Amino acid sequence: MAVAFYDLTSAAGLKKLDDFLLSRSYISGYQASKDDLTVYSALSSAPSAEHVNVYRWYTHIDALLRISGVEAEGCGVVVKGSAPITEEAIATPPSAETKAAEDDDDDDVDLFGEETEEEKKAAEERAAAVKAVSKKKESGKSSVLLDVKPWDDETDMKKLEEAVRSVEMEGLNWGASKLVPVGYGIKKLTIMLTIVDDLVSVDTLIEERLTAEPINEYVQSCDIVAFNKI
């Protein structure tokens, strides 16, 4: 069933979205999708820091659009009480800077009139500008060393590593690994990973993916051994 939000330009609508994002990184699933872009496009401007969860999510999606864009389809979120959102807007929503510029021009826009050829051309130019910026802008990266600990000496370490490496997120790349004896016949998996700082939170990776179902069948806990900027 699709998630529905109502009038995200109102305080009540923002409060509901803020509550929804309290325990979530994205509108649906474990990676950014067109559901996030639908909600992002429905916001008339960047939210205030008062709505801390919306502000965190909005900043992340805005950074993602400037770095790599979003391709995942999502589950089909519905935003009611806002102007209809076109497929073009979902594919290439405006950046925060573009939105600010649009706000300055609000007095000159007829919200109930038909779109003119000039307005169509301007919209196409804005979409092209967002695409160009998203391709050229690069974010910082970090190298992380994780210790992944099994439940006991009977845990299949090969399946544990396969489960860990099955986690896929935008901005996450798994590297070299090795098994290190801990004692009493138990071994831990020590594994390298590289992350794009604006896209991946190591804490979220551990809490929501590596120690959550179904991977927690093999993984008891994870520790950050080293964290270095590249």
Side-chain angles (χ1 to χ4, degrees):
M1 182 177 179
V3 178
F5 297 102
Y6 299 85
D7 192 8
L8 296 181
T9 60
S10 69
L14 279 175
K15 178 63 168 59
K16 179 181 178 181
L17 179 60
D18 195 66
D19 292 341
F20 179 83
L21 290 169
L22 176 63
S23 60
R24 297 174 174 86
S25 297
Y26 302 105
I27 298 299
S28 61
Y30 293 107
Q31 63 177 328
S33 69
K34 290 185 178 180
D35 289 345
D36 294 279
L37 300 190
T38 298
V39 178
Y40 178 94
S41 298
L43 294 169
S44 59
S45 61
S48 69
E50 174 186 357
H51 299 95
V52 60
N53 301 309
V54 178
Y55 182 80
R56 164 185 55 78
W57 165 84
Y58 184 96
T59 303
H60 176 65
I61 297 301
D62 188 65
L64 182 61
L65 289 171
R66 289 185 282 108
I67 295 165
S68 61
V70 173
E71 297 181 356
E73 289 298 323
C75 301
V77 69
V78 176
V79 179
K80 299 182 179 180
S82 301
I85 300 171
T86 65
E87 286 295 324
E88 181 182 15
I90 293 176
T92 55
S95 65
E97 292 83 357
T98 305
K99 285 189 174 186
E102 289 174 353
D103 289 342
D104 292 339
D105 296 335
D106 279 349
D107 292 339
D108 301 326
V109 177
D110 180 3
L111 298 178
F112 301 99
E114 293 185 359
E115 188 176 36
T116 65
E117 288 299 322
E118 290 79 6
E119 289 170 337
K120 289 181 180 179
K121 184 177 180 180
E124 291 172 356
E125 290 175 351
R126 286 196 299 270
V130 171
K131 286 183 178 179
V133 170
S134 68
K135 288 181 180 178
K136 70 180 181 181
K137 201 143 187 178
E138 186 67 30
S139 175
K141 295 183 179 180
S142 297
S143 174
V144 184
L145 182 64
L146 279 186
D147 272 353
V148 184
K149 300 174 182 177
W151 288 100
D152 50 40
D153 60 343
E154 295 182 358
T155 301
D156 188 325
M157 296 303 292
K158 182 178 180 181
K159 290 185 177 179
L160 180 147
E161 181 171 357
E162 290 175 351
V164 169
R165 290 184 181 276
S166 71
V167 175
E168 296 182 353
M169 298 174 65
E170 291 171 291
L172 168 65
N173 290 295
W174 296 105
S177 65
K178 65 178 180 178
L179 296 178
V180 180
V182 177
Y184 303 100
I186 299 176
K187 295 182 179 180
K188 64 181 179 181
L189 174 70
T190 298
I191 187 167
M192 293 288 300
L193 57 144
T194 302
I195 62 170
V196 175
D197 296 332
D198 285 345
L199 301 183
V200 180
S201 162
V202 178
D203 290 337
T204 299
L205 171 64
I206 293 174
E207 294 171 7
E208 297 186 6
R209 303 300 298 275
L210 296 178
T211 56
E213 294 182 351
I215 299 177
N216 63 359
E217 177 182 350
Y218 306 103
V219 175
Q220 180 195 55
S221 63
C222 296
D223 294 321
I224 300 173
V225 179
F227 193 114
N228 299 297
K229 296 291 184 180
I230 298 176

